[in-house]
Every structure is written in C-alpha cells, then in structure tokens.
C-alpha cells in the first residue's frame, strides 16, 4: 500500500472537519487539499536533491502555450548572457519537451577541485537567477559534471557539491528553493569522450535545465533531465 495514502486521507478529513463552520470552507478545503496532493505527488519523484511540490509552488502552463513561453525565456537568456556566450563560457540549447539547457563551463565557475563559486562567476549566475525568477512556471535542474581525472567517488562528490553551490547561490538571489533540483552525475556523462584520467576541461561543467510545468502533466517537470553527455 502506498505509504502516503493514509496521511493524505487523514489530512483531507481534518481539513473538512476544521472548516465545517466556515462559509468559505469549500474554497479553503480545496486549496488545502490541492497543496497536500501536490506535495505528496512531488515527494514521490525520485532523483535529485530538492523539494518537489507539484502544483503547490509553481503554476502550470496550458499545453498550447508552452512553446511560446519557453521561446520568450530563451530569447531573454540569450540577450542577457550574450557576452558570456561570445566568450564560450556558456551555451544555451533547446532540448526535447521544450526544455532549455544552459551549459556553463566549470573552469569559469570553479577553481580546479573546488566546489566554491569563483567571485568572477557570481555576476553570470546572478543574471541567470534574475531571469528565472520572472519565468516561474519552470522547474530548475542543476546538474554537475566532471572529467575523468581522479577517482569516480571523488568526481561524484565534487559534481554534487558544485551543483549544490550553484543551487544555493540562485536561491540567495531570489529563486525559490522549492523550484530547484540539484544533482551530480560525476564523470558518467562526458561532453567529450576521453580515456580515463584525462583532464578535459569541456567535461567539467554545470548544466542548468529548465523544464516547463505543463498543465495536466505537472509531475514530468520534476523528473531528472535525460542524458546530458555528448
């Protein structure tokens, strides 16, 4: 039996009883139940670090409007990050399902072997955060990657910590933490295929994947992005 079902039934029962004498009980109860159902569904989406709450935190986009919404967001990102793109510090691409990926080179974000954001990278991440605050009908997946130098365990931990640093900084710049999912994939998804032990800079990167919350299929936005290697 699903472990969340008794909790959900109990919460609904309590909510209805508590609003029995309230003339606005139907609206309040519906809103409360909707938030709880969203939280329960979201908490069952496995994958990355974060606090998925489907429908209770971000609004949904009607299916026919998704493409236009993501087009507009992509244009604004490209305008605001044009200098970084010219310097090959990042690239913005469209993925399947109208998702967007901002691929950011780790060597411009972190010192070698470090998970602390470099001071000269903060402005770039602040610009990204300012746009993501405006386009709030997306779930933000922050995925860290490494090259093949070092042990697999070290690389996995480093990728997790780098994703957490980026997610935390965006939250500090006003992006709700509840929209952010953080994940490290270590050396498993190389942008450039190499032999083990190769310090290929292009493999040391952070991907920010923006998945739209689509009405009627909200849960899909919380699932981890697909393979992001080359």
């Amino acid at each position: 039996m699903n472990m969340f079902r008794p909790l959900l039934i109990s919460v609904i029962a309590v909510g209805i009883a508590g609003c029995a004498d309230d003339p606005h009980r139907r609206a309040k109860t519906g809103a409360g139940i909707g938030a709880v159902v969203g939280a329960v569904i979201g908490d069952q989406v496995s994958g990355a670090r974060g606090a998925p709450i489907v429908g209770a935190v971000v609004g949904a986009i009607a299916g026919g409007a998704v493409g236009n919404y993501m087009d507009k967001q992509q244009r604004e990102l490209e305008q605001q990050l044009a200098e970084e793109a010219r310097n090959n510090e990042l690239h913005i691409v469209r993925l399947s399902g109208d998702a967007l990926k901002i691929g950011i080179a780790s060597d411009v974000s972190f010192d070698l072997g470090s998970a602390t954001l470099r001071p000269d990278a903060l402005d770039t991440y602040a610009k990204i955060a300012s746009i993501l605050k405006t386009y709030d009908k997306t779930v933000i997946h922050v995925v860290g990657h490494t090259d093949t130098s070092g042990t697999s365990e070290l690389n996995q931990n480093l990728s997790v910590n780098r994703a957490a640093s980026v997610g935390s900084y965006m939250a500090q710049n006003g992006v709700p933490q509840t929209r952010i999912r953080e994940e490290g994939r270590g050396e498993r998804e190389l942008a450039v295929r190499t032999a083990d032990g190769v310090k290929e800079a292009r493999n040391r990167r952070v991907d920010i994947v923006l998945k739209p919350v689509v009405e009627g299929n909200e849960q899909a936005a919380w699932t981890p992005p697909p393979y992001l290697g080359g």
Side-chain angles (χ1 to χ4, degrees):
M1 181 178 180
N2 189 317
M3 64 179 289
F4 294 102
R5 188 175 179 184
L7 172 62
L8 182 58
I9 293 172
S10 298
V11 171
I12 292 172
V14 170
I16 292 173
C19 294
D21 297 323
D22 189 336
H24 303 292
R25 64 184 179 277
R26 180 175 297 179
K28 291 181 179 179
T29 301
I33 291 172
V36 172
V37 170
V40 170
I41 293 173
D43 283 339
Q44 295 180 75
V45 179
S46 62
R49 173 179 176 268
I53 305 177
V54 177
V57 174
V58 294
I61 313 168
V66 173
N68 183 61
Y69 185 87
M70 299 305 286
D71 285 344
K72 186 176 179 182
Q73 184 174 197
Q74 182 173 356
R75 286 194 298 270
E76 188 162 346
L77 285 165
E78 289 171 345
Q79 290 170 1
Q80 295 298 321
L81 301 169
E83 182 178 354
E84 288 86 347
R86 284 194 298 270
N87 294 334
N88 292 317
E89 296 174 2
L90 57 78
H91 59 278
I92 301 168
V93 297
R94 196 68 161 259
L95 303 178
S96 61
D98 278 312
L100 284 172
K101 183 183 79 170
I102 309 169
I104 307 170
S106 279
D107 56 354
V108 302
S109 302
F110 305 97
D111 289 328
L112 194 63
S114 171
T116 301
L117 279 168
R118 293 165 53 100
D120 51 352
L122 299 183
D123 182 57
T124 296
Y125 284 104
K127 286 195 284 187
I128 293 172
S130 69
I131 296 170
L132 300 190
K133 285 189 296 184
T134 302
Y135 292 89
D136 60 354
K137 293 179 174 60
T138 58
V139 175
I140 303 160
H141 296 261
V142 183
V143 185
H145 306 274
T146 70
D147 60 27
T148 59
S149 62
T151 66
S152 296
E153 182 179 6
L154 183 151
N155 288 334
Q156 176 60 28
N157 290 336
L158 182 59
S159 69
V160 168
N161 291 335
R162 284 179 168 175
S165 289
V166 172
S168 295
Y169 186 72
M170 289 200 297
Q172 292 169 22
N173 279 270
V175 179
Q177 187 71 56
T178 44
R179 290 179 56 207
I180 301 171
R181 301 276 280 162
E182 300 157 5
E183 181 184 359
R185 298 187 180 179
E187 59 187 58
R188 300 193 304 276
E189 299 185 1
L190 302 176
V192 180
R193 291 290 170 182
T194 65
D196 289 346
V198 175
K199 296 180 179 180
E200 169 55 66
R202 287 171 291 179
N203 288 328
R204 301 194 299 269
R205 67 200 193 279
V206 175
D207 290 327
I208 299 176
V209 178
L210 312 174
K211 298 184 72 175
V213 181
V214 182
E215 192 175 81
N217 192 27
E218 290 87 351
Q219 185 173 347
W222 299 99
T223 60
Y227 179 79
L228 296 171

